[in-house]
Amino acid sequence: MFCGGYQVQGTVFPNPNFDPMIDAQMIGGALQGFGCDKDVLIDILTQRCNAQRQMIAQTYASVYGRDLLESLKENLDGHFKDVIVGLMYSPPAYDAHELWHAMKGAGTEENCLIDILASRTTSDIFQMKEVYLMQYGNNLDQDIYSETSGHFRDALINLVQGMREEGYTDPGIAMQDAMVLWEACQRRTGEHKNMLQMILCNKSHQQLFMDFEQFQNISGQDIATAIAECFDGYFQELLLAIVSCVRDKPSYFAYRLHCAIHDFGFHNKTIIRILVARSEIDLMNIKQRYKERYGKSLFHDIKRFASGHYEKALLAICCGDAEDY
């Protein structure tokens, strides 16, 4: 995965002293009787990697004859439930779950579609499509087609095809791509919008990085500024998300978290989705970008706005240390 020269690091790692039987029995005990011991769930499930959680679920099923995910859903509620249940999905199943709920019922949560599809690798997309079909009996691209519209829909469908050229670069093509991007921003016809999104949705991140440099050279303008001036709506937001993820994915998610915390009145769905999905990938980098950009740590802002076991679960995923305070 292209990381712009920095080393990606999550906040959740495999527990070296992991014992699925002990963990399954402790969780079983925590879920028995009146109420449940939420502290036990936090201490175990936020401190095990996803592969270890899947082993806990298998062991739990063999010991208790019940599905752990269903047991958690039955015994928990509120945003705490969303965090704990989210941790129990495999990464592609969690993406599929979030996409399904973003399009289910009245209205569509477009920003969820953008966050996921603009940031995932080709391999991620193929896996989530397979799980989506198995889990919900629908084709992801068909659901996106029916729930969105216009050039925004075209770009999402393009992304979900998983045709991005991972790792491929050709410096000779960068100037050609930049000219197409520049012309698309100037003329803004339907055909030019299609040409623009074909480049942004299909070229490798390495190639796009070079394309953006050439765009700056020929236009005297940053590609993100040009897109913001020339397009609008969710189509614009999707294109800007792609540009941001090409340049620095942790910075994109730091921005999204800051908006979710400060601009949207602590938008729980967005915060939970990003923390759970990025916990083993680049959440440490996201935390660093957040503090560099906004002056306060992510740990500090979550502690300020969340409360109770929900707060404790989010902070445990963030893996707070002394510099977080």
Side-chain angles (χ1 to χ4, degrees), residues 168-324:
Y168 178 80
T169 59
D170 185 343
I173 292 179
M175 179 60 75
Q176 178 182 326
D177 286 347
M179 290 296 295
V180 172
L181 293 172
W182 175 240
E183 185 177 1
C185 288
Q186 293 302 299
R187 300 184 66 178
R188 311 178 200 180
T189 66
E191 180 182 357
H192 286 90
K193 288 178 181 179
N194 286 335
M195 293 166 64
L196 180 146
Q197 61 100 351
M198 286 292 288
I199 290 175
L200 293 184
C201 295
N202 293 332
K203 296 298 179 77
S204 72
H205 281 195
Q206 296 95 323
Q207 182 68 51
L208 288 173
F209 201 86
M210 291 190 289
D211 292 352
F212 298 161
E213 290 180 338
Q214 290 298 331
F215 184 94
Q216 177 83 41
N217 292 336
I218 65 174
S219 69
Q221 190 176 33
D222 181 74
I223 182 69
T225 302
I227 289 172
E229 290 179 356
C230 298
F231 305 105
D232 57 17
Y234 289 117
F235 180 61
Q236 177 208 74
E237 291 185 33
L238 176 58
L239 299 181
L240 290 175
I242 294 170
V243 170
S244 183
C245 287
V246 167
R247 288 175 163 167
D248 189 86
K249 203 173 290 186
S251 288
Y252 170 72
F253 283 114
Y255 164 75
R256 290 287 294 132
L257 282 167
H258 190 265
C259 289
I261 292 171
H262 294 278
D263 295 349
F264 304 127
F266 210 81
H267 195 268
N268 295 283
K269 285 185 178 180
T270 300
I271 294 163
I272 293 167
R273 181 176 66 249
I274 294 174
L275 294 188
V276 170
R278 310 308 296 185
S279 60
E280 293 182 49
I281 303 172
D282 55 4
L283 187 52
M284 187 68 74
N285 306 88
I286 293 168
K287 286 168 52 182
Q288 292 166 352
R289 301 293 193 278
Y290 191 99
K291 191 166 188 177
E292 291 166 2
R293 186 166 182 174
Y294 304 110
K296 296 286 186 181
S297 70
L298 178 60
F299 191 90
H300 170 275
D301 280 356
I302 289 173
K303 196 169 181 64
R304 179 183 171 194
F305 291 103
S307 62
H309 285 95
Y310 174 46
E311 171 202 331
K312 186 173 181 180
L314 292 180
L315 296 181
I317 295 171
C318 279
C319 191
D321 50 37
E323 66 179 27
D324 279 325

Side-chain angles (χ1 to χ4, degrees), residues 7 32 102 138 141 145 148 160 184 213 222 239 247 266 286:
Q7 182 177 351
Q32 288 179 355
N138 292 18
D141 44 0
Y145 188 87
T148 58
V160 88
E213 290 180 338
D222 181 74
L239 299 181
R247 288 175 163 167
F266 210 81
I286 293 168

Side-chain angles (χ1 to χ4, degrees), residues 53-232:
R53 290 185 215 118
Q54 302 311 315
M55 293 175 66
I56 293 171
Q58 293 171 6
T59 306
Y60 181 94
S62 67
V63 172
Y64 297 100
R66 298 201 64 201
D67 182 81
L68 176 55
L69 190 60
E70 294 305 316
S71 294
L72 292 169
K73 289 178 180 179
E74 290 173 7
N75 284 275
L76 305 177
D77 57 22
H79 299 307
F80 178 72
K81 171 184 174 180
D82 295 335
V83 176
I84 298 301
V85 168
L87 289 170
M88 291 308 303
Y89 285 105
S90 68
Y94 187 60
D95 280 345
H97 171 270
E98 292 296 289
L99 291 170
W100 167 257
H101 285 279
M103 295 184 283
K104 179 183 178 184
T108 299
E109 192 182 345
E110 287 86 356
N111 283 319
C112 175
L113 306 184
I114 293 171
D115 282 351
I116 293 175
L117 295 177
S119 65
R120 300 311 193 251
T121 66
T122 299
S123 175
D124 293 337
I125 288 173
F126 276 116
Q127 290 180 63
M128 81 172 70
K129 285 173 66 176
E130 289 180 3
V131 175
Y132 192 95
L133 179 60
M134 288 189 297
Q135 218 161 268
Y136 305 108
N138 292 18
N139 287 311
L140 176 58
D141 44 0
Q142 291 178 355
D143 281 356
I144 289 173
Y145 188 87
S146 66
E147 297 298 327
T148 58
S149 61
H151 293 288
F152 176 58
R153 175 175 65 190
D154 295 341
L156 290 174
I157 293 295
N158 202 332
L159 286 171
V160 88
Q161 299 306 309
M163 299 299 290
R164 191 177 295 285
E165 302 166 338
E166 299 279 355
Y168 178 80
T169 59
D170 185 343
I173 292 179
M175 179 60 75
Q176 178 182 326
D177 286 347
M179 290 296 295
V180 172
L181 293 172
W182 175 240
E183 185 177 1
C185 288
Q186 293 302 299
R187 300 184 66 178
R188 311 178 200 180
T189 66
E191 180 182 357
H192 286 90
K193 288 178 181 179
N194 286 335
M195 293 166 64
L196 180 146
Q197 61 100 351
M198 286 292 288
I199 290 175
L200 293 184
C201 295
N202 293 332
K203 296 298 179 77
S204 72
H205 281 195
Q206 296 95 323
Q207 182 68 51
L208 288 173
F209 201 86
M210 291 190 289
D211 292 352
F212 298 161
E213 290 180 338
Q214 290 298 331
F215 184 94
Q216 177 83 41
N217 292 336
I218 65 174
S219 69
Q221 190 176 33
D222 181 74
I223 182 69
T225 302
I227 289 172
E229 290 179 356
C230 298
F231 305 105
D232 57 17

